[in-house]
Structure formats: C-alpha cells, structure tokens
Amino acid sequence: MMHSESRKVDTVELVKDYLKNPIFRDATLIQSEILKCIRKVLDEKGFVELLPVTVSPITDPLNHPHFETEFEYYGQKYSITKSMILHKQVAVLVHKKIYIVSPNVRLETEDKMESGRHLFDFVQIDMEMLNASREDVFEVMEDAIIYTIEKIKEKYPDIIKKYHPDLKTPKKPFKRYTVKELKEKYGDNYEKLASLNATEPFWMIDIPLLEREFYDKQDPNRPDVLLDFDLIYPEGFEEAISGGEREHEYEQILKRMKLKNTPFEQFEEYLKVAKEGLLEHSAGCGIGIERFTRWLLALDHVEKTRLFAKTPGKHSI
Ligand code: ASN
C-alpha cells in the first residue's frame, strides 16, 4: 500500500503553482490549439462532431486491471464512460464519419501513479468511420497529427523552443511494425524500447488476439491477430492512439466474448442491437489529448497538461 502522504495534495499550493509555474499556462495553451487543429482536420474531411456519452449501462470493458464506477439510478445500473467504443459502433450508422471529444473515467490502480502517461479522468478524441479499413483511419490521423504539429510550431515557436526544441514534424506515411516484429527485436518490453528508439511516431499493428477486447476485429486470414493498432510516440512517450477495425457480426462478437470470459449480462443492450444485425463494418480510433500535449512539450507527466488533473492513486480537486 502506498503511504497516504503521497496521495495528499495541498490545494492552496497547487493553485499557487498554477499561477506561478508557466508550464500550466503553456501546456493548456498548446492543448487548446491541439483541440482546434484536430477538429479542423476532421471537420474538413466531413466528420460530424457528436456530444459525449458520460454515463451508460454499457461501456468499454478494457483489457487491464481497474476499479469500477457503477451506480444505480431508478433500477438501472450505470457506469461512467471508460470509452465510447460501443456507442461509436451505433452512432456511425447515423452519420458515416463521427467524432467526439470524449471524457473518460478509468479508475486505474495506484501503480500507474508515476507512469507519466495515466490520468484516471482524461479526454480522447474518439473517431469512427463506416465501411472503412484501418488504412483509412491512418490516413485521417496522420493528416491530423501533421497539421497540428505544423500549426503549433508556426503559432507558438517560443513555447516549442523552450520545451521540445528538436520536435520534428513527421512525414506521411508513418512506419508500421507488427507486434511480432517488435517482440523479436526488443523482447517483452517492446513498446517502451521501440518508442525510445524511434524518432517519429509509428503504427504498431496486428496486436495478439487476447490482448484486446471483443470489439476489435479478428483478422480472418490470421486468426491469432487483430485488425487493430496503436500509434506509438517516439522518444519514450509511448502510446498515443489505439483503434481498429470492428467486429460487427453477432456470432463473432459472442465468440470473442467467450474467449475472454466477458460477462454477457453487462453488454445485454449492445448484444440486442448486434443480434438484430444492425451493426456494420467500421473502423476508428481515439487519440489521448493530454498525451499528445505531453509529447509536444516533452513533459515528464500528463498531470502537467491540465488544471485539476486526476493522477491515479492521488487526491485531487
Ligand atoms: N478509442 C479506442 C478505439 O476507438 C477504444 C479505447 O479507448 N479503449 O478503439
């Protein structure tokens, strides 16, 4: 158990830090520009921005240990959204290209306190495209990242010079590496080591079947891997994006749930829609806004990228 002192935050000192430490001002300014730039690219490509779902009886089961946020309201159980993935699969039937600036609450365990990459309340821009492949998603996100970096370097050269003077604008197409390739080269700690060795962001593709949830599509030709991906930042900043092509066929979703002992009851409403045959093939992803800010400014921790940040295991306001 972590000593309780390490959890405590002196709120008055924190507010004083916001006022005198330029990091908070600089990082929130850059973050505001990130939001504007990604929105601009997605809007120009014909995406429709939807409002976030913050509570629902169904949410992302996630693939790592965490605490639940369940509460009951007039006889129905709700959770705070961990990601809007299951809602995106439905929303994309209404508009073919969608995105949401989506707050997610994931009650991470305290061992994530010092990872530098985790907040238990964070925001991702979650996008989804109907009838699309992962290549289509790469194209959109590469444009969004390149445009954002160019714009920020142009508009805030002094801030970038101060925090990340050697920040390079990546070139399209970003490189792709399979998990298998990375494991062979770097061993078990492949994500961290490959990130440390890279000088530009790269796509990590073909994640093994059991390492992701039932909504990411199994490759029909190579059933031990998924048609999904992460984007990895260079210089040791690790995961930027995760996404994939989606399972939409009821039988396949059930099979995938069984493989990981996912309790059907929790996804009853989602399964009803899938059983009715309403879901269609789609692909999409989410980009973490605090992590993008952290990388652009080469900060040691995402908690410096927002006011009132919620660090796993720590107290906060
Ligand atoms: N946003 C991710 C996706 O689209 C899901 C997640 O955040 N777990 O696949």
Side-chain angles (χ1 to χ4, degrees), residues 265-279:
E265 324 78 73
Q266 271 176 31
F267 299 92
E268 207 182 321
E269 302 306 315
Y270 170 77
L271 288 171
K272 278 185 202 163
V273 176
K275 192 172 185 182
E276 194 64 27
L278 293 173
L279 299 181

Side-chain angles (χ1 to χ4, degrees), residues 60 62 82-83 85 88 104 106 122 124 126-128 215-216 242-244 246 284-287:
D60 193 332
L62 302 178
K82 293 185 240 177
S83 97
I85 173 60
K88 286 199 299 177
N104 293 178
R106 299 182 183 174
F122 69 96
Q124 62 174 323
D126 227 346
M127 60 83 100
E128 196 76 15
Y215 49 76
D216 280 348
S242 74
R246 314 302 183 187
C285 71
I287 179 162

Side-chain angles (χ1 to χ4, degrees), residues 2 6 15 31 35 39 58 63 94 102 105 127 157 166 168 176 215 219 221 229 266 272 274 297 299-300:
M2 192 93 36
S6 63
V15 173
Q31 193 165 80
L35 290 167
R39 275 196 167 106
I58 47 171
N63 191 50
V94 178
S102 176
V105 172
M127 60 83 100
D166 53 352
K168 279 206 297 177
R176 290 118 216 248
Y215 49 76
D219 186 334
N221 302 316
F229 54 84
Q266 271 176 31
K272 278 185 202 163
L297 296 186
L299 300 175
D300 59 351

Side-chain angles (χ1 to χ4, degrees), residues 53-59 68-81:
V53 169
T54 50
V55 293
S56 172
I58 47 171
T59 190
E68 297 297 337
T69 60
E70 247 178 40
F71 65 93
E72 203 170 307
Y73 181 66
Y74 286 109
Q76 183 164 39
K77 277 194 184 138
Y78 290 86
S79 291
I80 307 176
T81 297

Side-chain angles (χ1 to χ4, degrees), residues 96-124:
K96 289 187 168 69
K97 297 177 183 179
I98 54 140
Y99 73 93
I100 308 106
V101 179
S102 176
N104 293 178
V105 172
R106 299 182 183 174
L107 301 184
E108 306 287 358
T109 45
E110 62 186 1
D111 51 298
K112 302 266 168 58
M113 190 189 284
E114 308 291 345
S115 75
R117 298 185 294 126
H118 292 88
L119 295 178
F120 66 85
D121 169 15
F122 69 96
V123 173
Q124 62 174 323

